[in-house]
Amino acid sequence: MADRGQRTAPDGVPARIGQVVMLHHGGDREEARRRLLDLWTELGEHGDPLHRCTLAHYLADTHDDPEDELAWDLRALTAAEEQRESVAVRALYPSLHLSLAADYAKLGRLAAARTHVRRARAAADVLVDDGHGAGVRAAIGRLELRLGDGGPGEELGIPSRRGG
């Protein structure tokens, strides 16, 4: 039997992630977190980077603590960096950097937040001109405006990504 850390992602992982995300969007954050963590353990640190990136990105949304949210979003970015030439991964960079910018803003780390919102904007040219792309671009714009005032993180009014 292969070591858990050496296993690659089994077939069907994207569908399984999608099912858990639907559970999360349905309001069961605790169960969604548990199932995503189980998938994370199953994939191991050497699992498919795209799957690890996606899992970590969604796991961030299931945490209440901004430090935990940041840690998972950083794991997502680290996994993405392993396949940065992949078209699928490049399409995730705007959302990954936007999430990191929001995380840092919540923590009052405004310089880091501004750095990541600039990276999100620079990466946004890969987004398709559809509802998702428009939504990400709009969220980047809103965060750019909020960060532009230079006020303290708590006064930024950064909404949680969990809301929609």
Side-chain angles (χ1 to χ4, degrees):
M1 175 175 223
D3 179 53
R4 283 181 97 67
Q6 298 298 322
R7 279 200 261 171
T8 58
D11 290 334
V13 169
R16 292 168 65 196
I17 294 170
Q19 291 169 346
V20 178
V21 169
M22 288 173 38
L23 178 70
H24 178 231
H25 288 170
D28 197 344
R29 285 181 63 220
E30 294 300 320
E31 181 64 15
R33 181 184 312 128
R34 187 190 64 74
R35 289 185 188 186
L36 290 170
L37 286 168
D38 287 348
L39 270 172
W40 181 264
T41 300
E42 183 180 321
L43 287 176
E45 66 181 76
H46 299 292
D48 181 280
L50 179 59
H51 295 157
R52 286 187 291 114
C53 174
T54 304
L55 268 171
H57 190 54
Y58 284 120
L59 264 163
D61 291 340
T62 67
H63 285 81
D64 295 319
D65 185 307
E67 291 285 350
D68 292 338
E69 194 172 357
L70 174 62
W72 282 106
D73 279 328
L74 287 169
R75 285 182 186 103
L77 183 62
T78 298
E81 290 292 318
E82 293 178 32
Q83 287 191 335
R84 73 176 62 112
E85 300 306 316
S86 161
V87 173
V89 169
R90 283 197 315 264
L92 293 174
Y93 276 107
S95 291
L96 294 173
H97 285 293
L98 176 61
S99 294
L100 284 164
D103 296 343
Y104 283 121
K106 288 176 200 174
L107 293 167
R109 296 171 60 185
L110 300 184
R114 289 183 183 107
T115 295
H116 282 282
V117 80
R118 283 192 299 271
R119 289 178 183 167
R121 175 62 67 198
D125 63 339
V126 302
L127 293 172
V128 178
D129 193 21
D130 62 3
H132 172 75
V136 172
R137 284 186 193 95
I140 291 168
R142 287 189 303 270
L143 189 51
E144 285 171 330
L145 287 173
R146 289 183 184 122
L147 291 172
D149 68 42
E154 291 181 22
E155 294 177 13
L156 292 173
I158 307 296
S160 170
R161 292 178 298 159
R162 295 186 260 310

